[in-house]
Amino acid sequence: MILGVSLVAYFAAVLARSEDGWDVSETELDDVETLADLADLARDAAQDDDSVLIFIEQEDAWFAIVRVDGEEDPRIFVSDGAAAARSSYGSVLTDELVDQAGESEFGDLDHLVVELEDSEEAQEAVDDAADDAAPPGGVPVGPLGDSHLLTEFGLPSDELLALSGEGAVPGDALEEIAEALGCGEVLEAVR
């Protein structure tokens, strides 16, 4: 947990891409309070600005993958946004994803329509639509984020999403993902 003592079991590993494949090491998240901290952790493990993945798992609840490529913004995938939002490390990721969605180019369209129509009815309709679309807390149940972040490594989006569906076991999903990346045995060794 970021502040205080956590009774929930977390697993975190850093997978750094190298010429020979993936270097995998378990890592502690005790000093991680923001996405920038997580990105710095990944960049510290990078070799020549190659890709670095961070796997995070909360036992029996959710998993996340954060991909960092050099100085680019991190790409994030969370298997169950609502479950992750209820945990300290997960909320760091889901808050970022919800903020990104709010900043999208479509985020202000409803506001623009209200300004153009300039009526109370239009504002009420927009508010009702937003209430219907967003679950409590603003974080949707199910997969959230960039499901294409592992495509170039041989794991298509639809397969990643299938590992995140209802009834999926986060630990098993990360093992399957690591197998697809060619580092299953190495990840298993650090678990």
Side-chain angles (χ1 to χ4, degrees):
M1 186 170 189
I2 295 172
L3 302 171
V5 177
S6 175
L7 301 176
V8 179
Y10 285 96
F11 168 76
V14 176
L15 293 79
R17 185 97 166 138
S18 68
E19 291 177 4
D20 301 323
W22 294 96
D23 291 329
V24 180
S25 60
E26 187 173 7
T27 189
E28 293 293 324
L29 299 177
D30 294 340
D31 296 329
V32 172
E33 295 182 10
T34 65
L35 181 60
D37 294 339
L38 206 53
D40 289 343
L41 181 71
R43 288 184 183 109
D44 288 346
Q47 299 178 15
D48 301 323
D49 287 336
D50 280 335
S51 298
V52 176
L53 304 174
I54 297 179
F55 285 3
I56 303 171
E57 172 199 348
Q58 181 183 342
E59 191 172 276
D60 297 328
W62 59 272
F63 73 86
I65 301 169
V66 178
R67 176 178 172 175
V68 177
D69 296 300
E71 292 301 317
E72 293 181 27
D73 288 341
R75 296 167 61 187
I76 306 166
F77 176 81
V78 178
S79 66
D80 186 336
R86 292 187 293 268
S87 74
S88 55
Y89 299 120
S91 65
V92 168
L93 303 175
T94 58
D95 290 352
E96 179 70 23
L97 290 169
V98 169
D99 286 348
Q100 288 174 3
E103 294 172 4
S104 74
E105 63 185 278
F106 302 109
D108 288 333
L109 288 181
D110 290 339
H111 181 67
L112 179 61
V113 169
V114 171
E115 285 181 3
L116 292 175
E117 293 181 359
D118 196 24
S119 73
E120 282 185 37
E121 274 182 37
Q123 180 62 49
E124 288 174 18
V126 168
D127 291 343
D128 290 344
D131 290 342
D132 292 342
V139 180
V141 174
L144 182 65
D146 183 354
S147 63
H148 297 279
L149 80 167
L150 300 176
T151 302
E152 78 178 73
F153 303 125
L155 187 70
S157 172
D158 58 338
E159 289 182 29
L160 181 58
L161 291 169
L163 293 170
S164 307
E166 188 175 325
V169 178
D172 293 347
L174 287 181
E175 286 176 23
E176 287 188 47
I177 292 166
E179 286 294 329
L181 297 175
C183 60
E185 289 181 18
V186 180
L187 180 67
E188 189 58 35
V190 300
R191 287 185 69 100

